[in-house]
């Protein structure tokens, strides 16, 4: 099967969140299952700065963006020396400090930038003769490709058999822009209506993808159900319900060659479930790294790693932070996001007791050190399409306390003292009291060394490797191709 996998961020080339982790790992897992899979992504400034070796793949690819006919080259590199990555070079769009915008909001020309990526990918296929069976799009940035395949590019014999799959990683980001930018897409006027990509008078990239893709997936089973409800649907629940027969939930996997304490070169000492002594070394190292008081080596350390946004439950954490600081526990936080949360957590840095280690910013090495050195990872998300950090935490023997939603529901199993089963602690209500109560439950069990070791081992033994999820994607690809051929 030939697959073109399109994503706006791919680890290790560019990353703001979990989408990059998925785009860096799933194609490799598909390759290992025998697929000819290639990735398409922008050639960002940041990607160039990684110094990754690349070569010219196709010169002077023409891409129509609005009234402009733009021309640029496409470069090629490889993931894990096996999966080709096509890098769309358009410096005026991608040679910038950030991927999508600044703290003040989206870049003003995001419609142009991502129309360029979508159409560029299709033009590259036409120019290079690579005919994918499947184009796998991810999130709004690439969601116009399914629309193009059934409109502007539908007549091309090359794409006659090409089916599209759209994966939604986060329904909150839809790519909504004013109607007067519609001409930039080059799409026919008749698609700008409520049954097409029009959305309350605006353009909605993601809506277009949902309606036109041959199959749609979300990144966990639970989230695939939630997005069809008004509470989690972000205004698109009815559109998603209209695709319910072709909507699948496939939980993300973990790249255990990267996130695994037995092989991790970014942590102070490696360890695995048969010998946890390295974890204590990592805890000491974390305390030193963050200049915390050494006495916290014998106290439980609670941590949070992630984007500081409403989605991640920052408001809830904010409500209990003073309680946490008064407990005999350490608190570590690594993240950046909305200015109000950066500020709110930034002030805790001045905690006089030395029990807090707060870093506002992005730091991959520190994320690994925290996974290894902390005892408990807090993920009180308001909603969570999948979530990767809870799965990373499980592998590192760091027990997750999570809100029972989306992918957190699918991957964390509540610890049941009577059976000894379970790998973490869940709470349902989005309420500070419920969150705090569950943290206290976890801390009670932490005191019982034997029970805690059991919970840790249950987590470390869980297997979320990509292979199983990749096999499920293959089944969805098959369905998408059947749908395409039926049309
Ligand atoms: P989301 O994609 O919603 O941000 P996920 O849990 O799926 O959440 O993925 C988050 C990814 O980004 C993980 O790999 C996590 O380690 C990483 N990450 C998030 N914030 C930071 C940060 N401040 N520094 C380093 N890595 C981070
Ligand atoms: C999104 C979601 C997160 C998910 C990630 C990768 O950013 O917020 O829950 O794990 O995409 O699919």
């Amino acid at each position: 099967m030939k697959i073109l996998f399109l994503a706006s961020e791919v680890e290790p080339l560019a990353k703001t969140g979990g989408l990059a982790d998925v785009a860096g790992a799933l194609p490799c897992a598909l390759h290992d299952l025998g697929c000819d899979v290639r990735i398409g992504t922008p050639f960002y400034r940041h990607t160039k700065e990684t110094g990754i070796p690349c070569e010219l793949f196709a010169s002077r690819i023409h891409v129509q963006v609005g009234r402009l006919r733009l021309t640029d080259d496409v470069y090629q590199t490889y993931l894990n020396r096996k999966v080709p990555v096509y890098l769309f070079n358009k410096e005026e769009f991608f040679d910038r400090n950030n991927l999508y915008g600044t703290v003040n909001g989206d870049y003003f020309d995001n419609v142009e930038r991502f129309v360029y990526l979508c159409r560029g990918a299709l033009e590259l296929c036409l120019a290079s003769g690579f005919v994918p069976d499947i184009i796998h799009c991810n999130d709004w940035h690439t969601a116009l490709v399914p629309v193009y395949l059934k409109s502007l590019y539908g007549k091309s014999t090359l794409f006659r058999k090409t089916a599209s799959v759209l994966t939604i990683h986060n329904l909150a980001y839809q790519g909504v822009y004013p109607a007067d930018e519609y001409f930039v897409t080059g799409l026919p006027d008749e698609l700008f209506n409520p049954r097409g990509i029009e959305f309350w008078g605006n353009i909605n990239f993601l809506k277009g993808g949902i309606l036109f893709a041959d199959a749609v997936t979300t990144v966990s089973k639970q989230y695939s159900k939630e997005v069809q409800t008004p509470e989690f649907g972000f205004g698109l629940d009815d559109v998603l319900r209209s695709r319910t027969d072709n909507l699948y939930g496939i939980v993300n996997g973990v790249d255990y060659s990267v996130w695994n304490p037995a092989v991790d070169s970014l942590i102070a000492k490696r360890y695995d479930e048969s010998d946890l002594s390295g974890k204590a070394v990592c805890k000491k190292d974390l305390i030193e790294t963050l200049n915390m008081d050494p006495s916290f080596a014998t106290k439980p350390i609670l941590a949070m790693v992630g984007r500081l946004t409403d989605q991640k439950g920052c408001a809830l954490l904010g409500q209990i932070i003073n309680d946490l600081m008064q407990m005999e526990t350490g608190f570590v936080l690594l993240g950046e996001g909305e200015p109000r949360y950066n500020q709110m957590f930034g002030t805790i840095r001045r905690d006089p007791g030395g029990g807090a280690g707060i870093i506002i910013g992005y730091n991959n090495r520190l994320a690994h050190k925290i996974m290894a050195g902390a005892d408990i990872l807090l993920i009180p998300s308001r909603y969570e399409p999948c979530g990767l950090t809870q799965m990373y935490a499980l592998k590192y023997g760091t027990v997750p306390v999570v809100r029972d939603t989306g992918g957190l529901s699918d991957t964390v199993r509540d610890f049941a003292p009577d059976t000894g089963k379970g790998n973490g602690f869940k709470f349902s209500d989005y309420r500070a009291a419920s969150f705090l109560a569950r943290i206290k439950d976890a801390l009670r069990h932490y005191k019982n060394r034997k029970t805690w070791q059991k919970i840790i081992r249950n987590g470390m033994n869980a297997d979320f490797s990509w292979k199983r999820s990749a096999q499920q994607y293959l089944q969805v690809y098959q369905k998408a191709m059947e749908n395409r051929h039926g049309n």
Side-chain angles (χ1 to χ4, degrees), residues 18-19 22 169-170 219 252 307 311 384-388:
L19 169 60
V22 173
H169 296 261
N170 194 336
V219 285
N252 288 332
R307 292 180 293 112
Q311 173 195 345
E384 195 60 76
C386 178
L388 295 167

Side-chain angles (χ1 to χ4, degrees), residues 171-472:
L171 195 55
Y173 303 94
Q174 300 179 1
V176 175
Y177 295 99
D180 59 10
E181 294 193 55
Y182 186 67
F183 77 95
V184 177
T185 66
L187 288 166
D189 287 347
E190 61 265 26
L191 290 185
F192 193 74
N193 70 60
R195 275 161 287 107
I197 80 169
E198 189 261 4
F199 183 70
W200 303 107
N202 293 310
I203 315 167
N204 187 321
F205 276 56
L206 194 68
K207 184 184 175 201
I210 293 170
L211 288 173
F212 283 78
D214 296 299
V216 178
T217 73
T218 64
V219 285
S220 67
K221 254 224 153 28
Q222 178 63 20
Y223 194 59
S224 73
K225 294 180 199 146
E226 289 171 352
V227 292
Q228 298 182 62
T229 66
E231 189 189 350
F232 293 97
F234 286 97
L236 288 181
D237 45 299
D238 55 339
V239 178
L240 283 154
R241 281 196 301 277
S242 78
R243 297 299 323 265
T244 193
D245 292 344
N246 292 294
L247 176 62
Y248 305 90
I250 302 176
V251 74
N252 288 332
V254 175
D255 185 343
Y256 287 126
S257 68
V258 177
W259 292 98
N260 179 356
V263 301
D264 194 334
S265 56
L266 300 176
I267 60 178
K269 186 151 199 280
R270 296 179 186 170
Y271 60 93
D272 60 26
E273 63 272 22
S274 67
D275 177 7
L276 288 169
S277 57
K279 188 162 173 66
V281 178
C282 291
K283 185 168 178 175
K284 277 206 177 107
D285 172 61
L286 179 65
I287 289 169
E288 270 171 35
T289 306
L290 297 176
N291 283 323
M292 292 166 67
D293 192 276
S295 65
F296 283 90
T298 55
K299 297 172 190 164
I301 292 187
L302 314 177
M304 176 155 173
V305 175
R307 292 180 293 112
L308 301 182
T309 60
D310 234 22
Q311 173 195 345
K312 298 291 173 186
C314 288
L316 221 50
L317 187 62
Q319 284 174 45
I320 65 163
I321 196 79
N322 286 334
D323 298 281
L324 291 187
M325 298 317 293
Q326 257 134 56
M327 296 191 314
E328 282 287 285
T329 56
F331 178 70
V332 166
L333 180 139
L334 168 66
E336 65 181 342
E338 293 173 26
R340 58 184 167 148
Y341 294 128
N342 293 346
Q343 205 191 355
M344 178 168 94
F345 294 116
T347 56
I348 306 169
R349 219 174 323 185
R350 292 184 278 276
D351 165 56
I358 312 282
I359 303 291
I360 305 298
Y362 186 91
N363 184 330
N364 184 48
R365 175 182 285 267
L366 188 55
H368 282 253
K369 280 178 184 279
I370 293 173
M371 288 300 162
D375 297 292
I376 292 174
L377 191 76
L378 306 176
I379 316 181
S381 303
R382 189 185 277 281
Y383 72 93
E384 195 60 76
C386 178
L388 295 167
T389 53
Q390 80 280 11
M391 293 192 270
Y392 299 161
L394 289 171
K395 189 67 186 169
Y396 284 78
T398 300
V399 177
V401 175
V402 306
R403 177 141 181 274
D404 196 358
T405 183
L408 299 170
S409 299
D410 290 358
T411 54
V412 176
R413 188 162 170 195
D414 230 347
F415 179 65
D418 45 340
T419 62
K421 293 210 167 111
N423 53 24
F425 296 85
K426 302 204 253 195
F427 65 99
S428 299
D429 299 339
Y430 189 78
R431 283 196 317 125
S434 312
F435 182 27
L436 190 59
R438 217 60 192 121
I439 292 175
K440 286 184 176 164
D441 289 339
L443 290 172
R444 248 193 313 279
H445 288 297
Y446 176 87
K447 287 198 186 118
N448 183 330
R449 209 181 121 79
K450 225 172 126 207
T451 309
W452 196 250
Q453 297 273 323
K454 172 88 185 124
I455 303 172
I456 285 183
R457 290 214 155 80
N458 288 349
M460 292 182 86
N461 286 323
D463 182 8
F464 295 105
S465 47
W466 266 109
K467 188 172 175 194
R468 222 180 55 197
S469 304
Q471 281 163 339
Q472 292 174 18

Side-chain angles (χ1 to χ4, degrees), residues 2-3 125 128-134 157-162:
K2 290 190 192 142
I3 303 155
C125 291
S128 68
F130 175 62
V131 189
D133 299 302
I134 292 288
T157 47
L158 195 84
F159 293 126
R160 211 166 23 100
K161 291 190 170 163
T162 300

